[in-house]
Amino acid sequence: MKKTILLIIAVMGCITAFAASTSHTQWVNPRIGTGGHGHVFLGANVPFGYVQLGPTEHTRGWDWCSGYHDSDSVLIGFGHQHLSGTGIGDLGDIALLPVTSRDQSEVIFSHDDERVKPGYYVITLKDSGKPYVNVELTATQRTGMHRYVFAGDQDTMLLRLDLGQGIGWDSPKQVMMEQRSPHRIAGYRHSLGWARDQKVFFVMDFLQEVTLEKLNGDTTGIISAPNIYPVTPLVVKVGLSAVSIENAIKNLEAENPDWLFSAVAANAARAWNDELEKIHIDTDNEDDRKVFYTAMYHTMVAPSVFCDVNGQYRGADGKVHQGDFTNYTTLSLWDTYRAAHPLQTLIHREKQRDIAQTFLHIAEQQGKLPVWHLMGNETDCMVGNPGVPVLADLVLKGFDVDTAAALKAMVASAMRDERSMGLLKQYGYIPYDLEPEKETVARGLEYALADWCIARVAQVAGDKENHDYFLNRSKSYEKYFDKSLKFMRGKDSKGNFRDNSEFDPLSTKHRNDDYCEGNAWQYTWLVPHDVHGLVKLFGGEKAFIQKLDSLFIVEGDLGEEASPDVSGLIGQYAHGNEPSHHIIYMYNYVGQPWKAAPLIRQVLREQYRNNVDGLSGNEDVGQMSAWYVLSSMGLYQVEPAGGKYIIGTPLFDEVRIDVGDGKTFTIHAEGNSDKNNGKRYDKSYIDYRDLVAGGTLWLQMGPKPSKWGTGKKSRP
């Protein structure tokens, strides 16, 4: 699988966006990633919605982070909020479960009785093998809607309302439920979990009169209504807010005022199709089509809207704020800065001002940019300053961002003494003997790339002092490079690398080593901001290429305490976890793009599949899927900010991207196949400004390597 790049003809200007002739939702398989280690959400939601309404199971380990796993068959409720693809669990809030008796707290179910498509979930639940209720779920941004049709032999329809049950790691701190009228129940749930102080307020409106009976204080209740079979299903509308019950009512009244379940489900499907049709692919491979559109779907589960219809939201300081922008949460930035956000800047350009405003307001409220934000809470999960690349990318791509405010927030985030940054400022690197939390190489490399982003923004702002300081600090990665072994390694406060007897480049000891969810083989390449500088550390391109070639060949034992995140291995390249995601594209930087092509194709073909175990690692809130979306189109942004998209190898005959403002960018691959997957053109990358200007990229594919992209001036 070698490639020849023949020609690019870029026709810039205003080109009318394509019109979809059919619903793209038909190609989404929400079950992809519900098995294996995918950890994805299954249920009903709308793009970027606050509500993710779906089945919740008992927590039985790491693979239940979303609250659901395909291997399980026991339901404990239909919760209104879930995570998708994370490595830690939380949420599951405000759960309803149809039951046959007041003491029932779980239901055995079969996946054969489930159906799911974007915006809609249905399941038939059985008791002793006999169906007793059909459950349908749909959603708007801030509301969920349920329709329950109970069997005719039950005089009373029963729903269990559980405010105590979350997902595994979560526990309630304060709960309340009350019946406000024959048709309305309201309350709240405040909990302690990954989000240390989560507040969810709810209102439930019922089509018919119901009665609430409390079973365990305000923690658990039974909602009952007469079963007038087969005339009246039990229909429930649920509004949520992080601010107040009153705002939950406003959200419900604004988004879901009627009782037309089918109309709400149709609107949810339409919302999904409007987003999915922003990219149209031409291919004869139906599995590829389903994997692609499911990947797009997964990239839009989050970030989640985190404000009410009146603009109010709960800030990072715990206070209620009035916003003039759409505030977001579920920001898995250590993962998503790499591909998910660069994808957003292409197809969700209209949302980027609000993303920037979200970041800047979080910085005002907590003194730094978000690290891993969940329901208004800073979890500080993972290493580095991953909010910096995202905000810097928006500035450098010319979005509506206050550059001075952005730079101020970035500098404030990078100059704190927490999370190893005090040591970085003092030593110019992070000594492993002074950092009890370990992971010093990973921390240092992540800070270096974020510092480069700050330097770029400072340059745009004309701030020479900050530009020079952070550009210098962005080269701190050099301190970790052991030229004798050609690996990034931990260094102590005296400037000495760890003794060779303590060093195993294959070891991925979980949270107890110099690396974070990885080993020396994987982290040696985490210099996406200065690839040519890394080449120099190796002593030149020959040594760099030799080591890079070896990465995809070397095999060995990762150790008994290996991180479960290190998966999807090709040699020691670990596609199942994010630090590896840019590495293949480094071949373009050293004039060997033809080597990248077969590896990209291998990942696209082997590590993404149209089945429940279709992801080689956990989804990580859209990042795994965003890599597929970009790479299958033939593009990937390696540098963490600025919009230089490396040209790889497109999987499809043609891709048409709606880049907004009535413009389309088309990628056409002539002679495309798994054997012919290359191109020729004087640059092996394309700039963001050229992509969003609209035009056509023609790629002539051939089976033999060429000189395309090998010249010094052609490289990124």
Side-chain angles (χ1 to χ4, degrees), residues 211-229:
T211 301
L212 172 65
E213 174 188 349
K214 297 182 183 181
L215 300 183
N216 182 21
D218 279 6
T219 302
T220 311
I222 290 291
I223 301 164
S224 61
N227 186 17
I228 309 172
Y229 185 86

Side-chain angles (χ1 to χ4, degrees), residues 34-292:
T34 58
H37 300 313
H39 299 185
V40 302
F41 160 70
L42 184 81
N45 63 332
V46 296
F48 309 104
Y50 177 52
V51 167
Q52 297 91 30
L53 174 57
T56 306
E57 302 165 341
H58 290 290
T59 296
R60 307 185 192 278
W62 186 61
D63 284 327
W64 277 258
C65 288
S66 73
Y68 181 96
H69 194 265
D70 186 75
S71 65
D72 208 343
S73 59
V74 181
L75 287 181
I76 57 174
F78 297 103
H80 285 77
Q81 294 184 308
H82 293 83
L83 293 168
S84 186
T86 58
I88 302 175
D90 204 338
L91 309 183
D93 299 272
I94 322 300
L96 289 172
L97 181 68
V99 293
T100 57
S101 65
R102 282 169 168 77
D103 60 354
Q104 184 179 0
S105 61
E106 63 182 35
V107 176
I108 306 298
F109 75 103
S110 169
H111 295 293
D112 292 338
D113 296 324
E114 287 181 301
R115 287 190 297 115
V116 61
K117 59 184 180 180
Y120 178 76
Y121 173 92
V122 60
I123 185 172
T124 299
L125 299 178
K126 299 176 180 178
D127 182 37
S128 301
K130 180 181 178 182
Y132 76 87
V133 65
N134 188 69
V135 182
E136 293 176 282
L137 308 175
T138 189
T140 70
Q141 279 197 339
R142 301 169 179 87
T143 79
M145 195 169 189
H146 312 232
R147 184 162 64 184
Y148 300 96
V149 178
F150 284 78
D153 56 356
Q154 294 179 244
D155 294 332
T156 305
M157 299 180 286
L158 300 176
L159 289 180
R160 179 185 178 91
L161 171 58
D162 197 336
L163 302 185
Q165 180 65 56
I167 293 175
W169 297 257
D170 167 285
S171 60
K173 295 195 297 184
Q174 186 177 1
V175 297
M176 188 275 284
M177 64 173 71
E178 63 180 12
Q179 184 151 10
R180 292 194 167 186
S181 77
H183 292 273
R184 175 169 285 179
I185 294 170
Y188 57 77
R189 184 177 192 269
H190 301 171
S191 59
L192 170 67
W194 193 11
R196 291 184 283 271
D197 184 22
Q198 187 197 357
K199 292 180 170 63
V200 183
F201 300 85
F202 71 91
V203 60
M204 293 182 177
D205 281 359
F206 295 81
L207 180 60
Q208 56 269 76
E209 292 187 0
V210 298
T211 301
L212 172 65
E213 174 188 349
K214 297 182 183 181
L215 300 183
N216 182 21
D218 279 6
T219 302
T220 311
I222 290 291
I223 301 164
S224 61
N227 186 17
I228 309 172
Y229 185 86
V231 179
T232 308
L234 184 58
V235 183
V236 192
K237 298 188 299 184
V238 182
L240 296 190
S241 167
V243 172
S244 65
I245 292 174
E246 290 70 27
N247 274 17
I249 294 172
K250 291 177 181 176
N251 291 340
L252 188 60
E253 291 175 343
E255 292 187 3
N256 201 347
D258 302 314
W259 292 99
L260 302 175
F261 182 95
S262 297
V264 175
N267 287 338
R270 189 176 301 112
W272 278 111
N273 190 62
D274 287 346
E275 297 293 346
L276 293 168
E277 70 177 13
K278 288 181 176 179
I279 304 179
H280 178 80
I281 61 172
D282 286 346
T283 180
D284 294 328
N285 188 316
E286 285 303 300
D287 275 344
D288 286 351
R289 193 188 302 276
K290 288 180 179 179
V291 171
F292 180 87

Side-chain angles (χ1 to χ4, degrees), residues 268-329:
R270 189 176 301 112
W272 278 111
N273 190 62
D274 287 346
E275 297 293 346
L276 293 168
E277 70 177 13
K278 288 181 176 179
I279 304 179
H280 178 80
I281 61 172
D282 286 346
T283 180
D284 294 328
N285 188 316
E286 285 303 300
D287 275 344
D288 286 351
R289 193 188 302 276
K290 288 180 179 179
V291 171
F292 180 87
Y293 284 108
T294 305
M296 272 194 79
Y297 168 82
H298 282 149
T299 68
M300 293 182 277
V301 175
S304 304
V305 167
F306 193 62
C307 58
D308 296 323
V309 292
N310 61 4
Q312 291 184 336
Y313 67 95
R314 189 168 298 280
D317 55 5
K319 300 176 182 178
V320 175
H321 296 264
Q322 181 68 50
D324 61 355
F325 64 99
T326 299
N327 189 57
Y328 287 93
T329 190

